[in-house]
């Protein structure tokens, strides 16, 4: 550990200095060298950082969270003007006004699919992501991934320099090294050149790849992404003879049958789907006849299942049997298979569902998940066809992916080629195949056969480790690019900031292969669109408009007419093995395929149903767990196809019996200080032929325990009327049934009421709309500079989220009803917290906000004890990372950063209220309804959260509060909460409820 | 030895004495002061101090680490925001109840037996309150800003939030600590004078001399002392009741099931006395053994304390019943759940342990045989101490961990730092106790002397060890040479309190006015015998109290209504019911301050030099002898004539006192 032992490598130092942009200060040669030893030395120099936590496990976490970096690399953000012109979303002011944020439209790609976003830029640095109201996949809302992507931009662990064989190098050196390799490939027409990408929807990148393939005719472009749409394209191939992209119009559907599809959280277009779905469940003007009805048949419980009116757990392999039964019931000529699967389906279900679908021809949707095999997709296409839904609620277009080929096969081909020594130059653009390739491909071994391996990646990760060259990739907020949304709508992605580090975009990387090294991404993208813009229209106008709007008009794919090819059913379904348990692989609801593993926000985001943080688990139904003698936190060996992985057990009510779900993406070994070592790697069990589920899993107890950190330990309402639910029928019979639940509607007080003569801020949360997707939690964290605390602190109940999604179960654990309830500060008019604060650190302002005065808080925690809603959060330790320079750039300058010993809680985004007040004052008017939008409200895909002035009877929030469904939590305590809820209405099929389902 | 027991005949057996027979003023003084003044301390004391001090170091270390890291090193979380710190705070405050109860309430009830234990119990109170007071400070997230809780003028115009029970706490505990200290110190002054006069080492003499403030034990001193002491007792009495009531408001004012209970104030007070007496017993039983104080702290004391424990224990048990009944009878879902969860939830075992220790175990005290066995009493008292700590755990943790929203329910357990901090305060407490018994008399000497005159073994003839040599008149060697100018007065010495009273009366009747009488304990009627009027002290104390009350209420009103009105929880600006607590506390604090200061000032203390100290045998005035001095200032004074008059009073000795 002695830092003097290793002689300073002067050559390396010069390289570092040469490549650094901007002014770089260094204190010693050791520091400049940035060796591991020196980092260690720095940690020891600041022992207060090195030993914050007391126990060993959490201390490691501390190092992960806080000691991430002292950001020795000089930030290059200040190194001059952005050379390309980017276009703000709103009217551009003459110049940047300090303190006044600007918004720029761009898009966040995930799995290739773009979600349109508006990025808030504060003095030149992107600070917050909002949805783009004009973008079809967003409609102004976002998902948690988009919200959290801002943190990835500033992640101190992002790769900062070009690495060659583990040592710091430079782009120039890389080009020098690449040149002879390229010459060689050019000589043999690229026979040894392979390019591996993730799903590509970017027109520019596709064009570049095509150009490249034209130049190197024998080269091959492979695509692999662990969460792909292979089955969707294969299913439509089966049904229609060509791959198509199904797009659903939930706003037109009255009856929906979901066959293991989590369309609210994991399908491309999920944000739009969630909005459309919620719009059909709102109770407007006491009108309930138009409420849709959702049947969810699913293996792994999802928030889609939780939103369903009827939910049935069924093993993933049995979904096909169910689909066949429905199809046959609807008169589609398909064979009946796997009748045994239907034994667990209540007798009249299939008939009743079929009748309901039949009754809503052209206004129903049958949908299946991306992980169901092609035959199920084909069956669903046939059913939708039979119901006349095609062209109405189900629309087919050309595939959004530029190359809809089967990705698993594509990767297998690449591996075979590599193993045969055919590959000489491999370029891996993004992705992380070393980590997430199917285990049986043995990707690493094959990869090592390749002579020259180049990797472009955001992080120096598992794949980079096995490549000679690692080139830092620019974050989507740093680079020019383009991408298509779920419906094909293209967006030109403009950067919000010059790359923080010496990074390149995929476009620039490919340009280098095309002999156009150092061609700016801006020029590449612009050139492509210049060529596309054949219309007479002035290109500059087109460019400006497209950038401004965040999408290119009329780029959504046109509906496509396809003909169902009968006879697809002749191909038998693949799965026949039934022995043992079934294993199901799913993308993680927080860290997706593992790419977000190093995002502390997403790691600490409680997963929608399990409320687990920082880990994945083997999810198992309570009945199966009982059968196997397993309990929560039991560490088991998952033995599947000769691969063994240790995983902790988590009981998941409503899970299909005899199957186990594992979320992918965990168990990273080189994710960064936050993500490395969290959870177990489920990719180790995934094989080429069972990418999503398969049977034959064995479970063995190890006798050990592994502590999982869940943020909610009690799942029942315990007879309390905190969350109120009724049925449409009940509501129809007595619209005031929710009000009648309240025994204490009368407000009794010895004291006179305070008058709020101006604005009186209040919030209404529509439980009918809320599906528990977590976007609000993430948005709040990003907006309000909320720190993460680490697993050991979560275990101790110290998570800091200002808004939490309470999840309650009702009914049998085998298949319970699941409810979500967002709970943030209620801003009680008679706030119990305020009365007990000894120093007046929490008070009411003149508009009825319950405000926190951080500077005044001495941290007695009395307010939290006395809060019946337990929405206050306390900085038990110094949670906020005050040392990492790059993280400072992300913080919202309008929100105080809290230090240890201070209580905090939801403020109703008081900074946004202030901003609106200032604007209104300058314009000499009142604040308009809808002018103040809280962060959670803005992010909510379903518009479940409505905020506004309750003094104004015309405001949206006042109207909601006038609804007969409106109720307050714990009103009998006379707290008079400003946040109220709209009771949830379920719309069960009378045919099925009579049977007691 | 069995106290208060009926024989078969039904005749009441006479109770054990509160002071063993055979003591004189001198032997009492000697026995108690020797513990302090002897050069060598018992080995057990040294061992005890070393162990306690090591625990104190543990405390300092834990608090140091706490300040460095933050309260997150403890096991607290959301929903259980208060843990060991507040549990221990309430526990210590409870322990701090016995002292003032014994000193003040038993004094008012004229319970003689309190005399030999009150000093120790008071000291214990002060140290327990000191330990208690540390916790609210260190449990804060930002303890360096603790002063925000006090009203002080600042340029932000900000005031404490006077509706908060935590502010009430700060005032209540501050007042309680201060008044207890005043009461204790005032009671110590005559004994400090005894130690001053008995000390052989010069520095020790200076030390006690400074602390004694020049106490001479004159009739006037004693008169004002008695008045002040009685007033302080009267003022401290409501404090005993109020402090734990106010601590209970920390919980009762809240909305949390299990906290929001009206039975809390009386039940907390009873619990406090219960635990306070348990702690007194825990400490006194070994001490009386080590220091051989069985004659002073007799079985009668132990018996009485055991009975009080039994009585308060029953009140506490009744409190448990009432809170459970109320929870059930309320019909409230949350209250009923709390009741169920307390008994059968994750902390059910803790609750039943509490029931065992606090309700079942004390029932053994019905047996007089148990009460007469110090070892058993010692064990029971320790069990009760533990039980009371657990009670606070149940109240705080069990109520908080599952309140309204099941989604937010959690668990709680203390970390190593919680334990070290708590155990560390025991170290602090014991260190202070050990230092106290080495430095200050743990039994009130003057009150024991007084007791000697009142108990059956005095019979008016507490015999001085020296044989009275009647009328031995010592002629001052330098008398005439100094002349009357350097003479302060003539002083006669007596052996008996009764003599002094009688002779003083005679002197006054003989027309002498500038006379003073000195005694080692207060003698009733002595001041009146010299024609002294009633003291002004009660009036001053009343005025002090009125000023305190008005000032405190106005301060709160000004802060909350005039200077910086804020909407706090929808309460009116003038939330006068909330302001009553602090008004009450400041009333007591001001009155007590005036009583103590007034006593000293009216007695013209501190006055470290006084001519009477020149009298060679005047040291005995603080021990066992009685002196009468006629000053030269007296109009009737004439050296020869006055000496003659004094001789006629048959003193043991007459001296001329130089200025």
């Amino acid at each position: 550990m002695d830092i003097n032992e290793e002689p300073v490598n002067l050559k390396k130092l010069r390289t570092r200095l040469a490549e650094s942009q901007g002014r770089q200060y260094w204190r010693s040669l050791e520091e400049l060298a940035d060796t591991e030893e020196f980092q260690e030395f720095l940690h020891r120099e600041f022992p207060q950082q090195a030993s914050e936590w007391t126990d060993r496990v959490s201390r490691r976490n501390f190092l992960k969270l806080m000691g991430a970096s002292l950001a020795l690399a000089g930030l290059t953000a200040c190194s001059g003007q952005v050379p390309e012109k980017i276009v703000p979303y709103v009217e551009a002011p003459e110049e940047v006004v300090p303190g006044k944020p600007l918004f720029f439209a761009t898009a966040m790609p995930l799995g290739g699919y773009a979600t349109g976003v508006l990025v808030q830029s504060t003095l030149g640095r992107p600070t917050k992501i909002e949805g783009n109201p004009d973008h079809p996949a967003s409609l102004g809302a976002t998902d948690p991934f988009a919200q959290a992507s801002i943190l990835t931009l500033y992640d101190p662990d992002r790769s900062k320099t070009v690495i060659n064989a583990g040592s710091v190098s430079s782009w120039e050196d890389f080009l020098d090294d690449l040149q002879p390799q390229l010459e060689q490939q050019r000589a043999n027409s690229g026979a040894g050149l392979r390019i591996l990408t993730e799903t590509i929807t970017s027109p520019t990148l596709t064009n570049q790849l095509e150009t490249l393939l034209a130049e190197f005719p024998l080269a091959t472009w492979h695509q692999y992404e662990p969460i792909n749409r292979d089955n969707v394209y294969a299913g439509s191939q089966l049904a229609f003879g060509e791959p198509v992209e199904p797009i659903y119009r939930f706003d037109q559907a009255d009856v929906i049958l979901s066959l293991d599809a989590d369309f609210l959280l994991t399908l491309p277009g999920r944000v739009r789907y969630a909005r459309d779905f919620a719009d059909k469940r709102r109770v407007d003007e006491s009108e309930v006849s138009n409420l849709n009805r959702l049947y969810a048949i699913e293996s792994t419980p999802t928030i889609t299942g939780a939103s369903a009116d009827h939910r049935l757990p069924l093993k993933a392999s049995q979904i096909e049997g169910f689909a066949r039964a429905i199809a046959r019931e609807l008169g589609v000529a398909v064979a009946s298979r796997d009748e045994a699967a239907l034994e667990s389906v209540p007798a009249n279900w299939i008939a009743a569902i079929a009748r309901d679908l039949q009754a809503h021809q052209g206004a129903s949707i049958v949908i299946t998940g991306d992980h169901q095999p092609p035959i199920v997709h084909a069956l669903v296409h046939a059913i939708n066809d039979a119901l006349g839904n095609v062209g109405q609620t189900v629309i087919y277009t050309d595939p959004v992916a530029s190359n809809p080929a089967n990705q698993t096969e594509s990767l297998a081909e690449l591996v075979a080629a590599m193993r045969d020594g055919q590959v000489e130059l491999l370029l891996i653009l993004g992705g992380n195949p070393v980590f997430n390739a199917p285990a049986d491909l043995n990707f690493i071994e094959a990869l090592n056969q390749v002579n020259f391996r180049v990797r472009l990646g955001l992080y120096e990760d598992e794949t980079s480790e096995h490549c000679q060259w690692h080139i830092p990739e620019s974050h989507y907020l740093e680079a020019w690019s383009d991408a298509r949304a779920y419906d094909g709508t293209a967006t030109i992605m403009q950067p919000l900031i010059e790359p923080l580090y010496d990074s390149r975009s995929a476009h620039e990387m490919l340009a280098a292969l095309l002999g156009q090294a150092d061609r700016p991404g801006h020029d590449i993208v612009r050139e492509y669109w210049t060529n596309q813009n054949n219309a007479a229209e002035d290109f500059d106008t087109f460019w400006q408009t497209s950038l401004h709007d965040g999408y290119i008009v009329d780029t959504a794919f046109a509906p496509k007419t396809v003909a169902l090819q009968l006879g697809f059913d002749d191909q038998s379904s693949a799965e026949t093995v039934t022995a043992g348990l079934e294993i199901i692989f799913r993308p993680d609801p927080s860290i997706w395929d593992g790419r977000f593993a190093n995002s502390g926000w997403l790691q600490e985001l409680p997963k929608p149903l399990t409320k687990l943080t920082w880990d994945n688990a083997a999810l198992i139904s309570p009945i199966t767990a009982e059968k196997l003698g397993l309990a929560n936190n039991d560490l088991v060996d998952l033995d599947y196809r000769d691969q063994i992985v240790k995983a902790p057990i988590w009981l998941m009510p409503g899970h299909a019996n005899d199957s186990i779900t594992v979320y992918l993406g965990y168990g990273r070994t080189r994710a960064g200080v936050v993500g490395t070592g969290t959870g177990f790697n489920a990719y180790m069990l995934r094989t080429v032929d069972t990418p999503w589920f398969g049977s034959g899993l064995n479970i063995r107890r190890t006798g050990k325990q592994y502590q999982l950190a869940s943020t909610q330990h009690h799942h029942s309402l315990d007879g309390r009327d905190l969350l109120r639910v009724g049925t449409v029928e009940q509501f129809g019979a007595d619209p005031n049934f929710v009000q009648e639940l309240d025994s204490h509607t009368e407000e009794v007080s010895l004291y006179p009421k305070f008058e709020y003569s101006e604005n009186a801020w209040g919030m209404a949360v529509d439980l009918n709309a809320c599906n528990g997707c977590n976007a609000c939690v993430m948005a709040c964290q990003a907006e309000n500079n909320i720190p993460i605390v680490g697993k050991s602190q979560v275990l101790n109940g110290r998570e800091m989220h200002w808004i939490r999604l309470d999840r309650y179960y009702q009914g049998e654990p085998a298949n319970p009803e699941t409810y979500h309830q967002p709970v943030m500060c209620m801003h009680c008019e008679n706030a119990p917290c305020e009365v007990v604060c000894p120093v007046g650190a929490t008070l009411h302002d003149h508009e009825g906000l319950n405000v926190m005065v951080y500077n005044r808080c001495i941290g007695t925690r009395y307010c939290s004890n006395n809060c019946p809603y337990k929405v206050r959060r306390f900085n038990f330790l110094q949670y906020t990372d005050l040392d990492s320079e790059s993280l400072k750039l992300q913080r919202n300058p309008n929100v105080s950063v809290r230090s240890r010993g201070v209580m905090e809680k939801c403020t109703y985004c008081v900074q946004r209220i202030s901003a609106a007040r200032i604007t209104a004052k300058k314009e000499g008017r009142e604040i308009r309804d809808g002018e103040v939008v809280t962060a959670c409200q803005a992010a909510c895909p379903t518009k479940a959260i409505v905020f506004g002035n309750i003094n104004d009877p015309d405001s949206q929030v006042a109207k909601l509060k006038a609804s007969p469904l409106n109720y307050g939590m714990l009103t009998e305590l006379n707290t008079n909460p400003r946040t109220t809820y709209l009771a949830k209405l379920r719309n069960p099929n009378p045919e099925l409820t009579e049977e007691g389902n | 030895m069995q106290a208060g027991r009926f024989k078969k005949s039904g005749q009441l057996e006479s109770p054990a004495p509160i002071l063993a027979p055979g003591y004189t003023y001198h032997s009492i003084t000697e026995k108690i002061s020797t513990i302090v003044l002897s050069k060598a301390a018992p080995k057990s004391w040294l061992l005890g101090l070393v162990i306690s001090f090591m625990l104190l170091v543990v405390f300092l270390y834990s608090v140091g680490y706490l300040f460095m890291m933050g309260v997150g090193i403890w096991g607290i979380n959301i929903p259980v925001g208060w843990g060991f710190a507040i549990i221990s705070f309430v526990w210590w405050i409870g322990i701090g109840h016995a002292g003032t109860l014994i000193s003040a309430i038993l004094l008012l009830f004229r319970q003689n037996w309190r005399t030999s234990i009150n000093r120790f119990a008071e000291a214990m109170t002060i140290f327990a309150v000191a330990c208690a007071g540390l916790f609210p400070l260190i449990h804060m997230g930002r303890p360096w800003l603790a002063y925000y809780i006090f009203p002080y003028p600042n340029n932000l115009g900000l005031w404490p939030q006077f509706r908060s029970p935590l502010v009430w706490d700060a005032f209540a505990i501050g007042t309680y600590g201060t008044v207890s200290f005043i009461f204790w110190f005032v009671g110590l002054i005559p004994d400090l004078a005894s130690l001053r006069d008995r000390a052989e080492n010069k520095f020790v003499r200076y030390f006690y001399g400074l602390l004694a403030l020049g106490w001479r034990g004159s009739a006037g001193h004693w008169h004002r002392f008695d008045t002040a002491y009685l007033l302080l007792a009267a003022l401290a009495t409501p404090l005993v009741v109020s402090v734990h009531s106010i601590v209970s408001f920390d919980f009762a004012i809240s909305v949390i099931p299990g906290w929001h209970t009206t039975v809390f104030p009386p039940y907390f007070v009873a619990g406090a006395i219960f635990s306070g007496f348990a702690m007194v017993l825990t400490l006194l039983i070994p001490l009386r053994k080590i220091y051989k104080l069985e004659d002073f702290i007799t079985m009668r004391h132990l018996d009485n304390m055991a009975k009080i424990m039994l009585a308060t224990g029953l009140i506490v048990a009744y409190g448990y019943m009432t809170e459970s009944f109320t929870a059930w009878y309320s019909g409230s879902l949350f209250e009923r759940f709390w009741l169920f969860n307390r008994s059968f939830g994750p902390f059910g075992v803790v609750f039943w342990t509490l029931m065992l220790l606090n309700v079942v175990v004390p029932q053994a005290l019905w047996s007089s045989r148990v009460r007469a066995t110090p070892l058993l009493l010692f064990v029971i008292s320790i069990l009760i101490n533990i039980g009371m700590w657990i009670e606070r755990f149940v109240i705080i943790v069990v109520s908080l961990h599952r309140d309204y929203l099941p989604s937010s329910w959690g668990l709680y357990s203390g970390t190593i730092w919680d334990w070290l901090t708590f155990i560390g305060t025991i170290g602090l407490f014991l260190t202070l106790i050990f230092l106290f018994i080495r430095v200050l008399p743990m039994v009130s000497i003057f009150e024991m002397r007084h007791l000697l005159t009142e108990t059956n073994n005095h019979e008016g003839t507490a015999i001085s060890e020296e044989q009275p040599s009647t009328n031995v008149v010592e002629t001052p060697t330098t008398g005439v040479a100094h002349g009357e100018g350097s003479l302060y007065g003539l002083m006669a010495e007596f052996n008996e309190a009764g003599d002094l009273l009688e002779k003083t009366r005679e002197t006054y009747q003989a027309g002498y006015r500038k006379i003073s009488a000195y005694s080692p304990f207060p003698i009733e009627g002595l001041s009146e015998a010299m024609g002294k009027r009633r003291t002004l002290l009660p009036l001053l104390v009343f005025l002090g109290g009125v000023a305190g009350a008005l000032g405190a209420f106005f301060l709160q009103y000004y802060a909350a209504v005039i200077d910086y009105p804020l909407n706090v929880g929808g309460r009116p600006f003038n939330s006068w019911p909330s302001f009553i607590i602090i008004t009450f506390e400041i009333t007591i604090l001001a009155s007590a301050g005036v009583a103590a200061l007034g006593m000293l000032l009216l007695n013209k203390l501190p006055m470290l030099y006084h001519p009477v100290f020149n009298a060679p045998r005047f040291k005995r005035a603080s021990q066992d002898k009685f002196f009468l001095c006629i000053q030269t200032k007296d109009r009737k004074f004439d050296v020869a004539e006055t000496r003659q008059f004094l001789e006629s009073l048959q003193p043991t000795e007459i001296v001329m006192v130089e200025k």
Side-chain angles (χ1 to χ4, degrees), chain A residues 572-594:
Chain A
S572 71
S573 56
E575 188 68 25
T576 46
V577 190
T578 48
L581 296 166
E582 193 161 285
I583 185 164
I584 305 169
F585 303 97
R586 284 295 179 90
D588 189 85
S590 299
I591 65 165
W592 197 241
D593 59 1

Side-chain angles (χ1 to χ4, degrees), chain A residues 194 212 237 309 455 494 826 853:
Chain A
R194 296 288 186 279
L212 188 77
Q237 182 82 42
D309 299 296
R455 167 80 198 296
Q494 48 180 348
M826 300 281 129
V853 189

Side-chain angles (χ1 to χ4, degrees), chain A residues 455-504:
Chain A
R455 167 80 198 296
L456 179 76
L458 266 183
Y459 292 89
E460 211 196 315
D461 56 17
E462 294 86 346
T463 304
S464 306
E465 194 185 0
H466 290 89
C467 295
Q468 287 105 329
W469 284 95
H470 165 82
I471 315 293
E473 186 179 6
S474 299
H475 190 264
Y476 82 90
L477 292 171
E478 293 174 329
W480 287 93
S481 186
D482 46 17
R484 289 193 188 274
Y486 76 108
D487 66 347
T489 303
T491 294
I492 298 172
M493 295 153 65
Q494 48 180 348
L496 269 288
I497 190 167
E498 199 189 353
L500 296 173
Y501 313 110
D502 184 19
S503 60
R504 299 287 182 284

Side-chain angles (χ1 to χ4, degrees), chain A residues 128 147 774-786 800-803 824 898 905-907 909 911 935-936 939:
Chain A
K128 177 79 175 59
Q147 287 295 336
N774 270 336
C776 51
V777 182
M778 235 6 25
C780 179
Q781 187 147 24
E783 170 77 11
N784 291 304
N785 300 335
I786 297 171
M800 297 297 285
H801 300 132
W802 284 3
I803 178 171
M824 63 298 274
R898 284 79 61 187
K905 61 156 195 84
C906 160
T907 62
C909 285
Q911 66 279 6
C936 52

Side-chain angles (χ1 to χ4, degrees), chain A residues 48 51-54 711-714 716-722 751-752 754 756 793 796-798 804 806-808 823 829-832 834-840 842-845 854-862 864-870 872-879 899-903 969-970 972-973, chain B residues 65-83 85 139-146 148-149 152 154 156 158-167 249-251 253-256 259 333-334 337 400 402-411 417 566-573 575 577-578:
Chain A
Q48 78 275 15
S51 55
E52 179 96 346
W53 269 261
T54 49
T711 58
Q712 191 179 344
H713 310 286
H714 290 270
S716 149
L717 274 165
D718 233 47
R720 303 171 181 205
D721 63 356
L722 309 168
Y751 299 122
F754 263 88
Y756 299 95
Q793 298 293 302
N796 204 359
R798 292 172 176 178
R804 59 167 200 266
D806 288 353
R807 183 264 299 114
Y808 295 109
V823 181
E829 288 195 3
N830 302 326
E834 294 177 5
V835 184
V836 297
C837 175
V839 291
T842 183
L843 299 159
H844 252 63
D845 77 357
Y854 302 125
N855 285 343
R856 184 73 177 162
C857 178
I858 58 175
T860 67
R861 305 180 296 286
Y862 198 175
S864 168
N865 287 346
N866 207 30
C867 172
Y869 311 98
K870 288 288 175 284
R872 292 179 155 262
R873 296 286 173 257
F874 187 66
N875 290 274
F876 288 92
L877 295 165
Q878 179 57 50
Y879 292 135
S899 64
R900 80 156 153 112
V902 173
M903 191 61 76
M969 247 206 287
L970 298 174
E972 63 266 41
L973 298 177
Chain B
Y65 187 65
L66 172 76
F67 284 0
M68 227 164 73
M69 291 294 138
V71 289
I73 64 167
W74 292 344
I76 44 176
N77 54 31
I78 308 287
V80 186
W82 287 350
H139 100 292
M140 287 177 188
R142 305 201 293 173
W144 53 92
L145 299 178
Y148 281 3
I149 215 166
Y152 63 96
N154 58 81
L156 302 171
L158 284 172
W159 296 97
Q161 205 277 97
F162 289 109
R163 296 166 193 86
S164 168
L166 289 189
V167 180
F249 290 161
D250 287 349
F251 310 106
I253 293 292
S254 82
V255 299
I256 303 301
W259 280 14
L333 187 72
F334 306 111
F337 174 80
L400 280 178
R402 288 180 171 180
D403 61 351
Y404 289 100
L405 268 55
S407 65
S408 307
W409 290 353
L411 285 173
W417 297 106
L566 290 163
N567 176 356
V568 174
R571 304 294 192 275
F573 298 136
S575 300
S578 298

Side-chain angles (χ1 to χ4, degrees), chain B residues 35-53:
Chain B
I35 297 172
V36 176
L37 293 173
S38 70
K39 282 205 181 98
K43 284 219 175 71
S44 55
W45 177 85
L46 195 65
L47 184 72
L49 182 68
V50 167
I51 294 172
S52 312
F53 188 74

